[in-house]
Amino acid sequence: MKINVCVLFGGVSPEHDVSLRSAESVLNNMDSEKYHIFPVGITKEGQWILYGGDDYSALPDGKWLEHPNNRPAVISPVRGQGLLIFCDDCLKQAQLDVVFPVLHGENGEDGAMQGLLQMAGIAFVGAHVAASAVAMDKTLTKLVADNAGITQAAWQLVRGSELENYMDKIVTRIEQQFIYPVFVKPAGTGSSVGVSKASDRQQLVAALHNAAQYGEKILVEEFICGREVEVAVMGNSNPVASVCGEIDSGADFYDYDAKYVTDTSVAYIPARIPEETAEKTRELAIKVYQAVGCQGLSRVDFFVTYDNNRIVLNEINTLPGFTSISMYPKLFDACGIGYSQLIDELLRLALEASA
């Protein structure tokens, strides 16, 4: 029998558009002979829609919203009800075996959606509530990594609500700890949304205001001069790490445009680091994954310094990008696990975790 899979995409998040691109790739690579697919999109306004078409290229440009067979639909938090589909004169139910939440950032990757699915008793791909919340909040990830003895960049937490009245004190405190440049990030976004590199006081003030648009907690980090190295991790109780990959952004840093808009970035698989360093990086990726409490999948990002190959944790992403150019599927593809096989394995892991 086919497995009933709901693929969630879109979402009320600054990373809505990235999710659409990821979902297009996932849906195009799911085997319709194995799965009965329910593609459910969440609009930027929070409406849930069961997409009535099968042309998934319509997702990134928003044309999927215009399909005449679209129907409002929601996942019920009541166990056993599954997907509720609102037709013209009736309410239909579709039982779901597993959900693949191809959602990035706020309301999708931060534990909110995972909490709904847990209440509904439906298996789902990826980390559960606590690990999702910890990984989404970079300051919490820092605390977990510190406790686990994992090397990372020095950092400070800044509150967005304090910027208006205490900007001078905040900037002075940052300048006392760091030398320029520094990185300024919203604590709770991914895809480099709201991230800035500040090389002087004026840029720092602008970067803090920019990050504050995306949340109360702002992370300021020291600059690490090194290669950007990423490792894909997959599994539940016995996770495995992919080969290391390296990103050369072709820009000042690997920002949103370098990831999704321009074609300046270049990926090197395997990463251009010594084999011994690569093996240590893979071991650290699994250590971070387990310290946070992940299951299913995550991508763990590091810096490897140019001068002495020191490995420094950057962040962990519990629902990394799945676009056609994203590193997570490319890293496992380099290990001999193709995109469709990868989806099969992630769905299997989700069902295993809920058994």
Side-chain angles (χ1 to χ4, degrees), residues 52-108:
D54 55 11
D55 177 10
Y56 301 123
S57 66
L59 269 60
D61 61 10
K63 290 182 180 178
W64 70 277
L65 288 166
E66 303 168 4
H67 199 281
N69 293 334
N70 287 350
R71 295 291 182 268
V74 296
I75 292 176
S76 171
V78 180
R79 287 181 176 244
Q81 289 194 346
L83 186 69
L84 304 181
I85 305 165
F86 298 87
C87 300
D88 293 335
D89 56 357
C90 65
L91 177 66
K92 295 182 179 180
Q93 288 180 265
Q95 293 301 313
L96 300 177
D97 297 308
V98 60
V99 171
F100 194 156
V102 189
L103 299 165
H104 306 308
E106 185 180 1
N107 298 310

Side-chain angles (χ1 to χ4, degrees), residues 101-278:
V102 189
L103 299 165
H104 306 308
E106 185 180 1
N107 298 310
E109 194 178 350
D110 58 2
M113 187 61 67
Q114 289 73 18
L116 168 63
L117 297 173
Q118 183 174 306
M119 286 193 299
I122 303 171
F124 58 92
V125 171
H128 282 203
V129 177
S132 296
V134 168
M136 193 68 218
D137 187 326
K138 296 178 179 65
T139 61
L140 297 181
T141 306
K142 293 281 190 184
L143 295 174
V144 170
D146 275 341
N147 188 64
I150 296 163
T151 302
Q152 55 190 328
W155 59 286
Q156 279 192 27
L157 170 63
V158 175
R159 301 281 180 179
S161 58
E162 297 176 347
L163 296 181
E164 183 175 354
N165 295 323
Y166 302 104
M167 180 64 83
D168 288 342
K169 289 183 178 179
I170 290 169
V171 170
T172 298
R173 187 179 78 224
I174 292 169
E175 290 178 334
Q176 286 173 345
Q177 180 175 357
F178 304 116
I179 59 172
Y180 289 108
V182 295
F183 277 95
V184 181
K185 308 174 179 179
T189 65
S191 299
S192 296
V193 171
V195 178
S196 304
K197 182 179 179 181
S199 298
D200 56 37
R201 176 172 282 218
Q202 182 178 358
Q203 290 181 5
L204 175 59
V205 170
L208 290 167
H209 281 303
N210 180 48
Q213 298 179 70
Y214 300 96
E216 167 68 3
K217 297 169 77 173
I218 302 167
L219 186 66
V220 181
E221 289 182 318
E222 70 168 320
F223 170 68
I224 302 295
C225 186
R227 303 180 189 276
E228 298 193 41
V229 175
E230 302 182 349
V231 181
V233 181
M234 178 168 59
N236 293 334
S237 57
N238 295 295
V240 296
S242 73
V243 63
C244 296
E246 177 188 346
I247 294 291
D248 182 347
S249 67
D252 199 25
F253 68 98
Y254 197 37
D255 60 7
Y256 184 94
D257 284 351
K259 289 180 178 178
Y260 302 111
V261 180
T262 68
D263 57 1
T264 58
S265 64
V266 178
Y268 295 92
I269 303 174
R272 298 172 297 176
I273 56 178
E275 182 58 37
E276 180 182 358
T277 304

